[in-house]
Amino acid sequence: MKNAIEIKNVGKKYNITHQRGGYVSLRDVITNILKNPFKHAKHKAKKALGRIEKEEFWALKDVNLTIKKGEIIGIIGSNGAGKSTLLKILSRITPPTTGEIKLNGRVASLLEVGTGFHPELSGRENIFLNGAILGMTKKEIVERFDDIVEFSGIEKFLDTPVKRYSSGMYVRLAFAVAAHMEPDILVVDEVLAVGDAEFQKKSLGKLDATSKTEGRTILFVSHNMAAIQRLCKKTILLEKGKVVMFDETEKVINRYIAEIGSRGTETKWKKEEAPGDDVAILHSARIIDENYNKIPFTTADKKIGIDFTYEILKNEYTPIPNIHIFTSTGERAFMNHEEYNKKLGVKGKHRATMWIPENLLNEGTYTAQVVVSTMKPLKIHFSQQEAVVFNVIDNIMNSRKNDFNQKIPGVVRPRLEWENILL
Amino acid sequence: MKTIVIKPKKTFSWNDFKEVWQYRELAYFFAWRDIKVRYKQTFVGVAWAIFQPFMAMVVFSVFFGGLAKMPSDGIPYPIFVYSGLLFWQFFSTALTETSNSLVGNAGIITKVYFPRLILPISGIVTKFVDFGIASLILVGLMFYYNFVPNLIIILILPLLLLITFIAAVGGGLFLASVNVKYRDVRYILPYFIQMMLFVTPVIYPASIAGKYSWILAMNPMTGVIKASRAALFGNAPINWELLGISLIAVLILLVIGVVFFKKTERHFADIV
C-alpha cells in the first residue's frame, strides 16, 4: 500500500532569545543604537560573521517516520518532547530546519477547535467561515451543512451569535465542523480534551468510523492515554525531540507510563531552565508526607502533600498557586488553588503546599501540574505539566477492600458516610 | 493523488501566486466575514463609514476653507476637500488594515495553513465598501453645488482605485512583516499616516506648491487625487503622464512589499 506520510531526517531548530515573547520593540532597538552605536555595530558585525554563539535548541531532531495510508497513529510524550512542533511542521504552519516530508493527498489539521470563529457571527455563518479556514470548499460545506448541524445538536441556536453560546455549545459546533472535513490526512492535536464526556465519545467514534470506511490517515496527539488506546493501533513516543519508540500502542504506552513513574518525587529546576516569566519562576516541586519528609510513594490511608517553591520577582501582581492532578492516562482528576490573599504577591521565595486528604485518591500513578497564575487579568506565569509524579498504593494492613482482589474502579476512592437501617 | 512536499526553505516562485488563486474561496470568506461583522448592525456600520470623512470635511471646511482661506482651484471648498478625503480615507484605512493583518490574525496563522497573502488582500475589501458608501455623500454634494461631473470619471475611477489599492497593499505588506517583528510599529503608524495627509494634496490643491510640485508628485496619492478632481470638476486636464508614473511607482512598491512579505512569511508562526 502507498505511504501516506514519509518523514526523512526532519529537524527543527529554534534560536532562544533572551527576551521572552520572541519579538522586540523598535523603540528598544533604536534606543540601543543611539545609546551605544559602536557596541551595536560591533555586535551586528560579529553576528554577520557568525562569531556570536547563538543559543540553539532543537525541538525536533532526526525524525524519520513512514506512515501507511489508513493508519491512525497516536503521538505521546511529555511536555516539550516535540509533539506540537511535529504537528506544526506537518500542517505547514512552520517550516522544518532540516529534512523533507512527503504527504500524499489532501491534508487538514485540527490543532484547535473553532479556529477563526468570530464571536459576532451566528452559528450558521461560523460554520461556513470555519469550514473554509479548515480547507473545505463552499460546495462541500453546503453539502454537509445539515449533517454538521445535526451532529452539533444546536439547531435552535443556529442564528444566534456564537458569543452568546455556552462553552459547551461552542465546542460542539466547532467540533462538528471539524468532524466533517474529508481530507486524506488529518493531523489532530489535543482537541478532544475539551467538551463533555458524551460529546468526546461521539467525536472519537466519528474519527474512528471515517478512517475505517474511507482510508483516512490520522495523526493524533493526546495526553489522554485512554483515547489513544481506543483509537490508535500504533503509537509514536517522542522524547526530547526524538522518536524513541514507534510500535503497537499498548507497548508504547506501557513504556511511557513506566518512564513517568520512575521519575523522582522531587524535581528541581536550574535557574536558567526554570519555567516562568518576569513575574514568577518555579524552583522545585516535591511529594511529602505529613511530617514534611520527601516520600517516593504513599498509601491511600495517608495524607499526601504536594509542595512547590517559587519566586515572585515583581510586586505588581498577586499570582495564585494552583495544582492540577492527573491520572496516568492523562485525565484530570481535579484542580485546586490557594485562596486569594494579598501576601501571595509579596516579592521573594514562596513555598506552597497542597494537602490531599487521606482516603481520597485511588491506587495508581498520578502526575501533578503546578501552576502559578494571576486571575485578573488572566496571566499564566508558569504551568509545569508532570512536575512531580507519585504513586498511591493500597495499604495491605489497612485495606478497605476486604476480600475484593482487584483495583477498585474510579479516579477517587473517598471514604463516604453510609447509613443502613434495618427495616 | 496530489503530493505535498515540505522542505526547509521554499524558494520564491510563481507557484505562490497560483496557490493564492487556489485559495481564493478562503479569501472570499475572510472578506465576507469582515463585511458581515462591520455591517452586522447595518445602521452603525454605514453611519461610521460616512461619519468619518464627513466630519473631517466639516472640520477642514471650517478651519482651512473658511478661516484660513485655503485656495481650492475655484471649487467650493467642502466638495474639494471631500473628494480628496474620499481617496485618502480609502488609502489610509487600507494601509492600516493591511499592516495589522498578520498580527490581528495571529490566532489563525498559528493554527492553520493557507497562503498568508490572502489575509492582507481580503482585508481591503471592506475598505472598498466603505469607499462606495462614503461616495454617496460626494454625489449629494455634487448635486448641492450643482456640479456636473465629466463622464470620464466613470472610466478613470477603476484606475484610480487600482492605484490606491496597490499603494496600500504594497506599503501594507511591508509594514505587516515589520509589524510581526517589531510590535510597536503599529503605534507609530497612525502618526506616520497623519503626517502623510499633509504631504498629500487633500486639504490644499497641488498647484499651491508651485515649482516644487514635483516633490508632491513623488507621492502616488498626489496623482490619484489630482486626476479625480480633474475628472470630477474639470478644473484641469487629466495629467496622464503623472498617473502613469504613479502606477509604475506603486507597482514597484508592491513588488518590494511582496518580496519582503514572502521572505518573512514562513517564520511568522514562530514569532507571532
Side-chain angles (χ1 to χ4, degrees), chain A residues 272-339:
Chain A
E272 54 278 15
E273 291 169 0
D277 60 4
D278 52 345
V279 177
I281 54 169
L282 178 62
H283 284 297
S284 64
R286 54 182 197 152
I287 304 293
I288 52 172
D289 67 7
E290 50 200 343
N291 303 316
Y292 295 88
N293 293 321
K294 205 170 77 182
I295 44 167
F297 61 86
T298 180
T299 54
D301 59 343
K302 290 258 171 60
K303 226 162 118 176
I304 313 160
I306 298 172
D307 74 2
F308 64 99
T309 338
Y310 63 99
E311 197 172 341
I312 299 286
L313 305 168
K314 266 187 200 171
N315 272 330
E316 57 193 281
Y317 294 83
T318 309
I320 295 175
N322 48 93
I323 295 178
H324 302 238
I325 302 294
F326 291 85
T327 66
S328 61
T329 56
E331 273 171 288
R332 194 188 309 255
F334 61 85
M335 75 82 68
N336 217 284
H337 64 86
E338 214 169 324
E339 294 303 322

Side-chain angles (χ1 to χ4, degrees), chain A residues 12 14 23-27 29 88-97 99-105 107 111-112 115-116 118 120-121 125 128-129 132-133 137-138, chain B residues 1-8 19 23 25-26 28-30 32-33 36-37 40 107-113 116 180-185 188 266-267 269-271:
Chain A
K12 172 79 185 176
Y14 283 105
Y23 45 82
V24 285
S25 79
L26 195 58
R27 196 181 61 188
V29 174
K88 279 194 172 169
I89 293 174
L90 284 169
S91 348
R92 291 188 286 167
I93 289 163
T94 182
T97 314
E100 190 183 291
I101 298 174
K102 267 192 193 139
L103 301 161
N104 290 311
V107 188
L111 304 193
E112 173 190 69
T115 303
H118 199 291
E120 297 287 341
L121 296 180
E125 290 159 343
F128 278 92
L129 180 62
I133 290 173
T137 62
K138 194 176 171 192
Chain B
M1 197 181 274
K2 213 178 115 189
T3 299
I4 300 164
V5 180
I6 303 173
K7 278 185 185 169
E19 212 184 10
Y23 277 81
E25 251 187 42
L26 183 58
Y28 160 78
F29 272 109
F30 279 138
W32 172 81
R33 170 194 71 181
K36 272 264 169 176
V37 171
K40 188 108 204 173
I108 301 177
I109 289 178
T110 53
K111 300 293 178 203
V112 178
Y113 173 80
R116 309 309 187 196
V180 170
K181 194 167 177 199
Y182 303 110
R183 287 309 160 84
D184 50 351
V185 166
I188 309 168
R266 295 267 283 164
H267 295 283
D270 291 340
I271 43 178

Side-chain angles (χ1 to χ4, degrees), chain B:
Chain B
M1 197 181 274
K2 213 178 115 189
T3 299
I4 300 164
V5 180
I6 303 173
K7 278 185 185 169
K9 259 228 168 81
K10 206 167 66 169
T11 41
F12 182 67
S13 72
W14 286 112
N15 276 339
D16 293 328
F17 296 100
K18 252 195 226 159
E19 212 184 10
V20 171
W21 180 246
Q22 280 166 5
Y23 277 81
R24 63 189 181 277
E25 251 187 42
L26 183 58
Y28 160 78
F29 272 109
F30 279 138
W32 172 81
R33 170 194 71 181
D34 292 342
I35 291 173
K36 272 264 169 176
V37 171
R38 188 163 167 88
Y39 295 103
K40 188 108 204 173
Q41 285 171 296
T42 323
F43 178 72
V44 179
V46 172
W48 189 238
I50 290 177
F51 181 78
Q52 278 179 304
F54 187 77
M55 277 319 283
M57 175 201 74
V58 171
V59 170
F60 288 158
S61 298
V62 170
F63 288 95
F64 294 111
L67 299 175
K69 302 268 182 290
M70 183 74 79
S72 54
D73 289 350
I75 304 156
Y77 193 79
I79 192 170
F80 168 84
V81 78
Y82 195 84
S83 62
L85 278 171
L86 203 53
F87 282 93
W88 178 254
Q89 288 272 342
F90 176 51
F91 172 72
S92 65
T93 53
L95 183 69
T96 311
E97 180 81 20
T98 318
S99 62
N100 280 328
S101 59
L102 289 176
V103 176
N105 286 295
I108 301 177
I109 289 178
T110 53
K111 300 293 178 203
V112 178
Y113 173 80
F114 55 86
R116 309 309 187 196
L117 259 177
I118 68 171
L119 279 173
I121 294 171
S122 56
I124 290 186
V125 176
T126 26
K127 306 305 165 204
F128 273 109
V129 178
D130 284 354
F131 178 87
I133 293 171
S135 309
L136 296 176
I137 293 278
L138 183 69
V139 174
L141 284 173
M142 299 282 283
F143 272 111
Y144 184 79
Y145 287 102
N146 252 328
F147 259 96
V148 182
N150 193 331
L151 280 181
I152 199 163
I153 188 72
I154 299 167
L155 284 173
I156 206 174
L157 186 66
L159 176 67
L160 299 181
L161 281 176
L162 181 74
I163 294 178
T164 315
F165 172 77
I166 297 175
V169 173
L173 285 178
F174 172 76
L175 288 169
S177 327
V178 178
N179 207 355
V180 170
K181 194 167 177 199
Y182 303 110
R183 287 309 160 84
D184 50 351
V185 166
R186 65 173 140 171
Y187 303 119
I188 309 168
L189 190 63
Y191 172 76
F192 173 73
I193 287 178
Q194 213 175 27
M195 286 293 113
M196 275 180 63
L197 171 65
F198 294 102
V199 294
T200 309
V202 175
I203 49 180
Y204 53 85
S207 54
I208 206 173
K211 62 176 176 172
Y212 297 111
S213 59
W214 60 272
I215 300 178
L216 280 180
M218 293 200 301
N219 176 353
M221 289 310 291
T222 300
V224 169
I225 291 174
K226 267 181 91 173
S228 77
R229 283 182 182 149
L232 278 171
F233 314 126
N235 59 335
I238 292 172
N239 189 340
W240 292 103
E241 196 186 335
L242 182 62
L243 268 188
I245 294 172
S246 296
L247 184 61
I248 292 167
V250 295
L251 283 174
I252 293 172
L253 186 64
L254 180 69
V255 171
I256 295 174
V258 171
V259 169
F260 211 84
F261 188 87
K262 289 301 298 181
K263 218 180 128 192
T264 42
E265 177 192 39
R266 295 267 283 164
H267 295 283
F268 284 156
D270 291 340
I271 43 178
V272 158

Side-chain angles (χ1 to χ4, degrees), chain A residues 219-238:
Chain A
L219 280 181
F220 180 60
V221 163
S222 184
H223 275 108
N224 187 334
M225 298 301 142
I228 294 257
Q229 217 149 12
R230 221 196 106 178
L231 270 182
C232 318
K233 274 216 182 74
K234 288 171 82 182
T235 294
I236 297 163
L237 175 59
L238 282 176

Side-chain angles (χ1 to χ4, degrees), chain A residues 114-254:
Chain A
T115 303
F117 259 42
H118 199 291
E120 297 287 341
L121 296 180
S122 70
R124 182 190 304 277
E125 290 159 343
N126 269 308
I127 290 178
F128 278 92
L129 180 62
N130 187 233
I133 290 173
L134 292 174
M136 286 189 240
T137 62
K138 194 176 171 192
K139 198 172 144 250
E140 285 171 327
I141 304 170
V142 171
E143 278 168 11
R144 294 169 205 161
F145 188 82
D146 293 337
D147 292 341
I148 293 173
V149 174
E150 201 199 351
F151 191 85
S152 69
I154 56 130
E155 293 94 336
K156 274 194 219 154
F157 306 98
L158 214 46
D159 292 307
T160 311
V162 298
K163 66 177 174 190
R164 303 231 174 81
Y165 280 26
S166 70
S167 58
M169 281 158 64
Y170 185 92
V171 167
R172 288 154 72 111
L173 180 65
F175 201 87
V177 181
H180 288 81
M181 291 192 281
E182 290 179 4
D184 302 306
I185 300 168
L186 179 62
V187 177
V188 190
D189 201 354
E190 191 91 78
V191 288
L192 297 168
V194 290
D196 55 86
E198 188 63 25
F199 195 73
Q200 279 182 23
K201 253 192 204 162
K202 199 171 158 186
S203 312
L204 280 179
K206 174 89 187 166
L207 281 181
D208 202 17
T210 47
S211 84
K212 272 179 191 140
T213 51
E214 292 154 39
R216 179 165 310 151
T217 313
I218 301 178
L219 280 181
F220 180 60
V221 163
S222 184
H223 275 108
N224 187 334
M225 298 301 142
I228 294 257
Q229 217 149 12
R230 221 196 106 178
L231 270 182
C232 318
K233 274 216 182 74
K234 288 171 82 182
T235 294
I236 297 163
L237 175 59
L238 282 176
E239 220 170 76
K240 290 183 182 153
K242 288 189 174 160
V243 176
V244 290
M245 202 177 176
F246 180 24
D247 209 331
E248 279 166 40
T249 298
E250 187 129 355
K251 286 185 197 164
V252 179
I253 288 184
N254 284 340

